[in-house]
Amino acid sequence: MDDAVPPGWPVEVRPPGAPDWERTAVAWLFDLVPPDYRAHEVLRRYPVLLARFAADHVAAGLEAARMGWRTVRVELADQLPADAIEAAMTAYEREGARLAAAARGVEVVAGALRGERWVPRL
């Protein structure tokens, strides 16, 4: 087992090669997608496919957060007080950062599921 993991590796997922690492990867990926995805046997059977679904779902959420951040001030300025708009902007920023980190995590976990090995550079 090699405990070295690439930058962005999710803390919820054990390092590749560790006992049950793929089980923790699958659990984490399922946590990123809607609960109904658990009903699809093909996603449980093929973790690389689950990673693809998770990547698509996270990317869509990230784009939605970016769009919301760009438009909330203009679209709701006359319907919400200024402090609510500022709170919404902060929420969009936090959600965007969370989703960007999740996207990076999905990318590196998917690579490991495909058998890619990360080697740290000096």
Side-chain angles (χ1 to χ4, degrees):
M1 176 180 90
D2 183 6
D3 283 1
V5 293
W9 188 266
V11 297
E12 300 88 350
V13 179
R14 300 192 71 194
D20 291 331
W21 89 267
E22 285 189 23
R23 183 188 56 74
T24 64
V26 167
W28 180 75
L29 290 166
F30 270 125
D31 285 345
L32 294 176
V33 298
D36 292 346
Y37 282 30
R38 293 177 189 273
H40 300 289
E41 176 64 31
V42 69
L43 299 179
R44 280 184 279 162
R45 182 176 292 149
Y46 300 103
V48 171
L49 182 59
L50 172 59
R52 167 65 187 266
F53 272 60
D56 290 344
H57 183 75
V58 169
L62 182 55
E63 181 53 36
R66 288 174 175 161
M67 172 83 75
W69 186 88
R70 287 190 307 266
T71 61
V72 70
R73 191 179 303 273
V74 172
E75 292 179 3
L76 297 179
D78 59 347
Q79 298 173 25
L80 295 172
D83 62 324
I85 295 290
E86 291 309 312
M89 298 290 291
T90 299
Y92 276 125
E93 288 171 6
R94 288 182 182 152
E95 188 61 7
R98 183 189 73 79
L99 289 165
R104 173 65 180 146
V106 170
E107 180 183 337
V108 295
V109 167
L113 287 167
R114 289 190 303 267
E116 296 172 11
R117 186 162 183 258
W118 182 74
V119 178
R121 296 180 194 198
L122 298 177

